[in-house]
Amino acid sequence: METKFESSVREIPYAQQNVYDMLSDLNNLQRVRDRVPDDKLNGLTFDSDTVSMNVQPVGTISMRIIDREEPKCIKFETVSSPLPFNFWIQMLPVTETTSKMRLTIKAELNPFIKGMVAKPLQEALEKIADAMAMMNYNPQD
């Protein structure tokens, strides 16, 4: 059964295009790598289209960008994961200098697995959204 998890909407103090430009090239993860605790995430590797990480206690998850809809959406799919899923980042303008963002995960989950992963997955989605809301999306910095 298809299950969808959505983060709450986050306000971002940067223009939609700045946010899109930063997130659509995964090489920009280098700028936030030092903010992620090593005990939560290790083995982080990335290039412009793919990202892989070792997430405890789940194991290695690799995702690649499958669609870029400038400047409003970036869609990912898992390349390798104990649980295959799709993930996307939606960005909408609020003003010329601010925007808002929502993260969504969609996965095929049977009721048993859903019961085990729903709460941790929702919490992780909110933490990722928090971290993304605090990023500096100014290209000059």
Side-chain angles (χ1 to χ4, degrees):
M1 133 186 339
E2 188 172 88
T3 305
K4 189 158 119 176
F5 300 92
E6 291 182 326
S7 72
S8 50
V9 174
R10 299 299 197 283
E11 295 282 333
I12 312 281
Y14 294 93
Q16 177 188 23
Q17 189 68 51
N18 288 32
V19 176
Y20 176 85
D21 290 346
M22 180 73 64
L23 297 177
S24 64
D25 180 352
L26 297 179
N27 284 317
N28 291 318
L29 287 173
Q30 189 62 43
R31 296 173 58 164
V32 296
R33 186 180 208 150
D34 59 339
R35 293 189 192 171
V36 180
D38 287 337
D39 64 321
K40 300 286 184 221
L41 202 62
N42 60 43
L44 180 67
T45 59
F46 48 85
D47 60 30
S48 62
D49 293 326
T50 60
V51 60
S52 294
M53 62 201 93
N54 189 347
V55 180
Q56 297 305 326
V58 178
T60 300
I61 295 176
S62 297
M63 295 186 301
R64 82 167 174 264
I65 295 175
I66 56 168
D67 189 25
R68 290 175 174 92
E69 199 177 322
E70 187 170 353
K72 58 186 180 178
C73 189
I74 305 163
K75 295 181 181 176
F76 297 79
E77 71 178 6
T78 52
V79 176
S80 98
S81 169
L83 184 67
F85 62 90
N86 288 333
F87 170 71
W88 60 95
I89 305 166
Q90 295 164 287
M91 298 142 284
L92 291 171
V94 176
T95 68
E96 285 186 15
T97 58
T98 64
S99 55
K100 55 187 178 180
M101 170 191 302
R102 174 181 290 170
L103 309 181
T104 305
I105 289 178
K106 208 184 270 189
E108 290 289 329
L109 302 176
N110 69 44
F112 178 73
I113 296 292
K114 182 179 177 181
M116 291 183 355
V117 303
K119 187 177 180 198
L121 198 54
Q122 187 66 46
E123 288 173 357
L125 200 56
E126 295 295 346
K127 286 179 184 172
I128 293 167
D130 286 342
M132 292 173 80
M134 292 186 283
M135 284 175 57
N136 180 348
Y137 292 98
N138 187 344
Q140 283 78 26
D141 292 344

